[in-house]
Amino acid sequence: MKYHFFKKGILFFCISIAASSFSQQTFAEATALTAYNDALNLYQTKAYAAAQKTFSKVYEEGTIGSNLKAAASYYEAMCAVKLQQTDAAKKILSFVEKNPNSTKTNTAFLNVGNYYFANKKTAHALKWYQKVRIEELSTEDQKELNFKMAYGFLATKNLSLAKERFLPLINDAKYGNDSRYYYGFIAYKLEDYGIAVSTLKEIENNASYKAEISYYLLDIRFKAGNFERCISMGLELHPTIAKKFKSDVSKIIGESYFNLKAYKASINYLKAYKGLKGKWTNTDFYQLGYAYYKQNDFQNAVNNFNKIIDEKNTVSQNAYYHLGECYLNLNKKASALNAFKSAAEMSFNRNLQQDAALNYAKLSYEEGNPFQSVAEVLQNYLKAYPTSKAYEEINALLVSSFINQRDYEGALAFLVKKKSKENTAFSQEISLYRGIQLFNQNKYKQALPLFKSAKKSKTTEILQKAQFWEAETSYRLEDYTTSLVGFVNLKNLLKSKKTTNFILIDYTMGYSYFKLKQYTKAVESFEEFLENEAILDAYKYDAYTRLGDSYFASTAYKKAILAYQKVVDNAALGGDYAAYQIGMSYGFTNKYEDKISALKKVINAYPLSNLKDDALYQLGNTYSKLKDTKNAHFAYHRLAAKHPKSVFLSRALLRQGLLYFNDNFPAESLAKYRDVAAKFPNSPDALEAVSNARKVYIQEGNLDGYVTWIATLNFINSTNSELENTTFAIAEKKYLEAILAEDVIESLQKYRKEFPEGVHIVKANSYLAAVLFKEKQFQKAVPYYRFIIQRAQSSYTEDALNKLSQIYLNTNDFKSALPILERLEKEAYIFENILFAQSNLMKGYYETAKYKPAIAYAKKIIQKSKIENALMNDAKKIIARSAIKTEDFSTAKAYYSALEKTSHNALKAEALYYNAYFKNQQKEYEASNKIVQELIAKYTAYKYWAVKSYVIMGANYYALDDVYQATFVLDNVIKNFQEFKDIIKEAQQALNTIREKEAQLNNSVTPEKKN
């Protein structure tokens, strides 16, 4: 409503002081009066600044108490008012204070008020008008003052005071029409519609107010519920009414149609409404949305319902319920779930609340729920509505939901509470699933009793699976005998051992027999397994390798070669091992040329093999046996040059020393023996080297040289050798017989104390460390492991590096672990230890924010031919995460895409999150949301990634102009997942941004206040 401003002439009291006014006074200077009159002329011509200077001078020079001084003070103050000087009010009040009996006091107040009124500063005008003594004014001046004060009260929204002032003037000839209009308008604003109608109708044809009055009368009829009259009256007014009222008239027409359920007719008029100051309210969006909803125009309905945020009332509850229905009709079930959740959380309409809760429960079952477990949602419904007609249906969905969400632990807990014959059978089946779940988490001891429980099932399929997994679990627990009993019993139960469900029985049985060194039975099991043509190559060629090992261990070398050859010929994983074993098998059958050929293949055909040093050592030994000294030395030299950390190096040097001695090269022989003693002190090989060197020195007659040399060897002590050996033998016996840990530790420490540089000192430290490690006294084991790795390389070094790095890794002490792992990678002989070192170097570098080497090690692992999928996925994960950290998003996208295809569980959830993230960045918002929905439906157990993905979903919805979904998602993240502080912060920032933007369009939205 734009108020009419009173535009008639403003009463101005022109006060002039003629010379005669001062005729009875005597002036000190005749020029004072002249100056005053000049100033008055300037004032009347609106030259206020010039007039003020002169009035001020007259005042300052005037005689105290003179009329001229008082008049000059008055006009100087009035000039200050006209010039809008900040001290104008003070000057007026000063004049009044100094001249309380002046006839100009009332005039001053009135003139100041009129000045502000004329300049549309009604609040200022009122302040001065209220100082005027109205009884001193003429009747006409009183009417004018009352009208202006009434208008001032109206403009400052003091409607009751304004109404009192306008009422006496409504019949006045001069102010009547304006006063009647304003009086009627105030009655309208105060919702006194009877008075408003009767007053306004008297002047509804007045040209000045016709447009406004027509609108007010229309709105009054609308508020009275006379909708049909509003439509006819509004349609008549709409084409010609002033632009400023057209939007509001459209709204009245539209709402009138809406209230009469003529929804189709209402749409165009509701759309034409511009809102209050350009903003709609939630109710405005609801009405247009519902009108579209009733036309089955669900998308347009959504586009309006989803603007309704930030309020909880009947309108919001209805809007969210219908929004849910619209989403269902648009096949957007995940969005419908959110809308029904909002409606179900409001109790303004109880029936609607229950129906919304039912829809929310069913959709949670169908689509998954990111905020609560589906089972929890279903149980909450059953608890809230125990008499619902849908009770049995929801109860059935509840049991099914546990399985669908893989919450087998929750299912078992629920079934225990709901004991029945049917539930007992069902709990046996769930025990199987829970057992498999724990098995996949490597929690074998926890899984085993669950499989035993599942074996009680009377369902054949459950019984057979339970028996299989029980036997498999026993195998993983290294209880091979029990494992075999289980597998044998299962085979007897099966109608066909070729069933695809249990295709690996013979494979695992073969391994169990092999572990128990029952090689003949292992051969039978592996051969039976290999008869099945449906097995995967990974299992097939691994079985051929183990079949070869079983024959090899049984000295059936020819059969072993045939089995190993299958692996080599098909370039299968482990081909280098099979080729090496072929060579060894030829050696045991005295086919040395074939052995040499096979060993050379290991060296030349498998560039990444960790068996090259093995092959070179055996190659040198074979040439030695064939008296081919030249090639033997060549093999041993190559071993030393290419594999300086090999465990075979000390033996190779010893053999070279012996070859040189036999070929009568004593100097070269001594050099090799001295090399062994220097590089491998305290080792058995060092002792053998000393013994062999002694023979060379004796043959050369150089006893002094021998004595001088051994004097430099700290580990040679001939005087205490028997006592030392005896002391160590006692400690070793206790260790090997697994006597009480305390006794073993005491004996070994006694040896260390008495023989700190003894021959067995490295072995003693190894035993001590092993006992402490087994007893989980990890920190006490550290100094013993460090002692071993600080000595020359021995057969104990590799294990010490492995165990020491494990201790550091278990406490996340990457600073200490990384250098140990680097040594392990370089010095390890066992493939698994190399892999362990590289995989943990990869993780360690990532955790210490050294992303470049982390990626390098991850790529090393990916290039390996024989690693488990879990480790392969770990390597891809490290590359992807490192790429995110270094903002190499193209690489991150590529590796997360690969992980999405091969990973499971938490890593799969992470990969899906980043797929959704990259889709969002590419503005593929719908596609991004579908990925988030998949993550939530299938991987809600991995809460962090599910919650984090919801922040992306919120951004997607807002980009798709679905404000409700965006705010719903973000708000629920903030409410439900306070444990994830980083996500909460991100969600809150996004929500604040949305509310700030929407507050510019929707009067019902209150933006977050900034601190």
mmCIF file of all heavy atoms in Angstrom, residues 451-468:
data_model
loop_
_atom_site.group_PDB
_atom_site.id
_atom_site.type_symbol
_atom_site.label_atom_id
_atom_site.label_comp_id
_atom_site.label_asym_id
_atom_site.label_seq_id
_atom_site.Cartn_x
_atom_site.Cartn_y
_atom_site.Cartn_z
ATOM 1 N N PHE A 451 29.013 -70.924 11.946
ATOM 2 C CA PHE A 451 28.868 -72.015 10.987
ATOM 3 C C PHE A 451 28.374 -73.287 11.681
ATOM 4 O O PHE A 451 27.577 -74.047 11.117
ATOM 5 C CB PHE A 451 30.196 -72.276 10.278
ATOM 6 C CG PHE A 451 30.638 -71.146 9.388
ATOM 7 C CD1 PHE A 451 31.945 -70.690 9.422
ATOM 8 C CD2 PHE A 451 29.740 -70.530 8.533
ATOM 9 C CE1 PHE A 451 32.354 -69.646 8.607
ATOM 10 C CE2 PHE A 451 30.138 -69.485 7.709
ATOM 11 C CZ PHE A 451 31.447 -69.042 7.750
ATOM 12 N N LYS A 452 28.829 -73.503 12.906
ATOM 13 C CA LYS A 452 28.371 -74.671 13.667
ATOM 14 C C LYS A 452 26.872 -74.555 13.923
ATOM 15 O O LYS A 452 26.135 -75.546 13.862
ATOM 16 C CB LYS A 452 29.134 -74.769 14.980
ATOM 17 C CG LYS A 452 30.619 -75.133 14.806
ATOM 18 C CD LYS A 452 31.304 -75.305 16.152
ATOM 19 C CE LYS A 452 32.796 -75.583 15.993
ATOM 20 N NZ LYS A 452 33.065 -76.837 15.257
ATOM 21 N N SER A 453 26.411 -73.341 14.234
ATOM 22 C CA SER A 453 24.986 -73.114 14.452
ATOM 23 C C SER A 453 24.196 -73.354 13.165
ATOM 24 O O SER A 453 23.128 -73.979 13.174
ATOM 25 C CB SER A 453 24.749 -71.696 14.954
ATOM 26 O OG SER A 453 23.380 -71.412 15.077
ATOM 27 N N ALA A 454 24.737 -72.876 12.056
ATOM 28 C CA ALA A 454 24.051 -73.039 10.769
ATOM 29 C C ALA A 454 23.963 -74.500 10.354
ATOM 30 O O ALA A 454 23.042 -74.896 9.617
ATOM 31 C CB ALA A 454 24.779 -72.226 9.696
ATOM 32 N N LYS A 455 24.891 -75.332 10.830
ATOM 33 C CA LYS A 455 24.879 -76.770 10.491
ATOM 34 C C LYS A 455 23.663 -77.494 11.078
ATOM 35 O O LYS A 455 23.333 -78.604 10.663
ATOM 36 C CB LYS A 455 26.163 -77.427 10.996
ATOM 37 C CG LYS A 455 27.360 -77.211 10.096
ATOM 38 C CD LYS A 455 28.639 -77.716 10.723
ATOM 39 C CE LYS A 455 28.597 -79.192 10.992
ATOM 40 N NZ LYS A 455 29.843 -79.692 11.610
ATOM 41 N N LYS A 456 22.986 -76.838 12.011
ATOM 42 C CA LYS A 456 21.790 -77.442 12.603
ATOM 43 C C LYS A 456 20.567 -77.295 11.699
ATOM 44 O O LYS A 456 19.502 -77.845 12.000
ATOM 45 C CB LYS A 456 21.507 -76.792 13.951
ATOM 46 C CG LYS A 456 22.622 -77.001 14.980
ATOM 47 C CD LYS A 456 22.319 -76.235 16.256
ATOM 48 C CE LYS A 456 23.475 -76.370 17.262
ATOM 49 N NZ LYS A 456 23.225 -75.565 18.494
ATOM 50 N N SER A 457 20.723 -76.546 10.637
ATOM 51 C CA SER A 457 19.603 -76.304 9.738
ATOM 52 C C SER A 457 19.121 -77.595 9.080
ATOM 53 O O SER A 457 19.918 -78.470 8.737
ATOM 54 C CB SER A 457 20.008 -75.296 8.658
ATOM 55 O OG SER A 457 18.977 -75.145 7.710
ATOM 56 N N LYS A 458 17.815 -77.678 8.904
ATOM 57 C CA LYS A 458 17.241 -78.845 8.222
ATOM 58 C C LYS A 458 17.136 -78.619 6.725
ATOM 59 O O LYS A 458 16.704 -79.507 5.989
ATOM 60 C CB LYS A 458 15.858 -79.139 8.807
ATOM 61 C CG LYS A 458 15.924 -79.592 10.268
ATOM 62 C CD LYS A 458 14.544 -79.908 10.821
ATOM 63 C CE LYS A 458 14.634 -80.357 12.284
ATOM 64 N NZ LYS A 458 13.302 -80.647 12.847
ATOM 65 N N THR A 459 17.519 -77.437 6.292
ATOM 66 C CA THR A 459 17.543 -77.131 4.854
ATOM 67 C C THR A 459 18.870 -77.615 4.285
ATOM 68 O O THR A 459 19.937 -77.185 4.734
ATOM 69 C CB THR A 459 17.390 -75.621 4.614
ATOM 70 O OG1 THR A 459 16.185 -75.173 5.233
ATOM 71 C CG2 THR A 459 17.359 -75.304 3.129
ATOM 72 N N THR A 460 18.812 -78.484 3.292
ATOM 73 C CA THR A 460 20.021 -79.134 2.759
ATOM 74 C C THR A 460 21.045 -78.126 2.286
ATOM 75 O O THR A 460 22.244 -78.232 2.584
ATOM 76 C CB THR A 460 19.649 -80.076 1.606
ATOM 77 O OG1 THR A 460 18.725 -81.042 2.096
ATOM 78 C CG2 THR A 460 20.886 -80.780 1.059
ATOM 79 N N GLU A 461 20.577 -77.136 1.547
ATOM 80 C CA GLU A 461 21.503 -76.146 0.982
ATOM 81 C C GLU A 461 22.247 -75.394 2.089
ATOM 82 O O GLU A 461 23.462 -75.185 2.004
ATOM 83 C CB GLU A 461 20.733 -75.163 0.105
ATOM 84 C CG GLU A 461 21.632 -74.139 -0.572
ATOM 85 C CD GLU A 461 20.857 -73.135 -1.409
ATOM 86 O OE1 GLU A 461 19.611 -73.229 -1.465
ATOM 87 O OE2 GLU A 461 21.497 -72.252 -2.000
ATOM 88 N N ILE A 462 21.520 -74.995 3.145
ATOM 89 C CA ILE A 462 22.147 -74.277 4.258
ATOM 90 C C ILE A 462 23.132 -75.187 4.983
ATOM 91 O O ILE A 462 24.253 -74.780 5.317
ATOM 92 C CB ILE A 462 21.079 -73.757 5.243
ATOM 93 C CG1 ILE A 462 20.096 -72.818 4.531
ATOM 94 C CG2 ILE A 462 21.747 -73.029 6.423
ATOM 95 C CD1 ILE A 462 20.727 -71.608 3.902
ATOM 96 N N LEU A 463 22.726 -76.414 5.214
ATOM 97 C CA LEU A 463 23.591 -77.368 5.897
ATOM 98 C C LEU A 463 24.900 -77.576 5.138
ATOM 99 O O LEU A 463 25.992 -77.549 5.720
ATOM 100 C CB LEU A 463 22.854 -78.706 6.050
ATOM 101 C CG LEU A 463 23.686 -79.895 6.547
ATOM 102 C CD1 LEU A 463 24.220 -79.630 7.951
ATOM 103 C CD2 LEU A 463 22.852 -81.173 6.527
ATOM 104 N N GLN A 464 24.800 -77.778 3.825
ATOM 105 C CA GLN A 464 25.998 -78.023 3.017
ATOM 106 C C GLN A 464 26.920 -76.805 3.005
ATOM 107 O O GLN A 464 28.149 -76.923 3.151
ATOM 108 C CB GLN A 464 25.581 -78.387 1.584
ATOM 109 C CG GLN A 464 24.910 -79.746 1.473
ATOM 110 C CD GLN A 464 24.395 -80.025 0.069
ATOM 111 O OE1 GLN A 464 24.372 -79.139 -0.790
ATOM 112 N NE2 GLN A 464 23.977 -81.262 -0.177
ATOM 113 N N LYS A 465 26.339 -75.619 2.838
ATOM 114 C CA LYS A 465 27.163 -74.407 2.828
ATOM 115 C C LYS A 465 27.835 -74.188 4.179
ATOM 116 O O LYS A 465 29.006 -73.788 4.246
ATOM 117 C CB LYS A 465 26.304 -73.195 2.463
ATOM 118 C CG LYS A 465 25.898 -73.146 1.003
ATOM 119 C CD LYS A 465 25.083 -71.896 0.700
ATOM 120 C CE LYS A 465 24.738 -71.818 -0.780
ATOM 121 N NZ LYS A 465 23.926 -70.622 -1.104
ATOM 122 N N ALA A 466 27.107 -74.451 5.242
ATOM 123 C CA ALA A 466 27.674 -74.273 6.581
ATOM 124 C C ALA A 466 28.850 -75.218 6.790
ATOM 125 O O ALA A 466 29.889 -74.832 7.352
ATOM 126 C CB ALA A 466 26.600 -74.512 7.634
ATOM 127 N N GLN A 467 28.693 -76.462 6.314
ATOM 128 C CA GLN A 467 29.786 -77.422 6.475
ATOM 129 C C GLN A 467 31.010 -77.001 5.667
ATOM 130 O O GLN A 467 32.150 -77.118 6.125
ATOM 131 C CB GLN A 467 29.314 -78.816 6.007
ATOM 132 C CG GLN A 467 30.335 -79.904 6.245
ATOM 133 C CD GLN A 467 29.748 -81.118 6.940
ATOM 134 O OE1 GLN A 467 28.566 -81.146 7.250
ATOM 135 N NE2 GLN A 467 30.560 -82.101 7.193
ATOM 136 N N PHE A 468 30.761 -76.494 4.457
ATOM 137 C CA PHE A 468 31.869 -76.045 3.618
ATOM 138 C C PHE A 468 32.627 -74.903 4.292
ATOM 139 O O PHE A 468 33.857 -74.929 4.406
ATOM 140 C CB PHE A 468 31.353 -75.586 2.254
ATOM 141 C CG PHE A 468 32.407 -74.928 1.409
ATOM 142 C CD1 PHE A 468 33.278 -75.692 0.663
ATOM 143 C CD2 PHE A 468 32.557 -73.537 1.387
ATOM 144 C CE1 PHE A 468 34.274 -75.100 -0.108
ATOM 145 C CE2 PHE A 468 33.545 -72.941 0.630
ATOM 146 C CZ PHE A 468 34.407 -73.728 -0.126
#
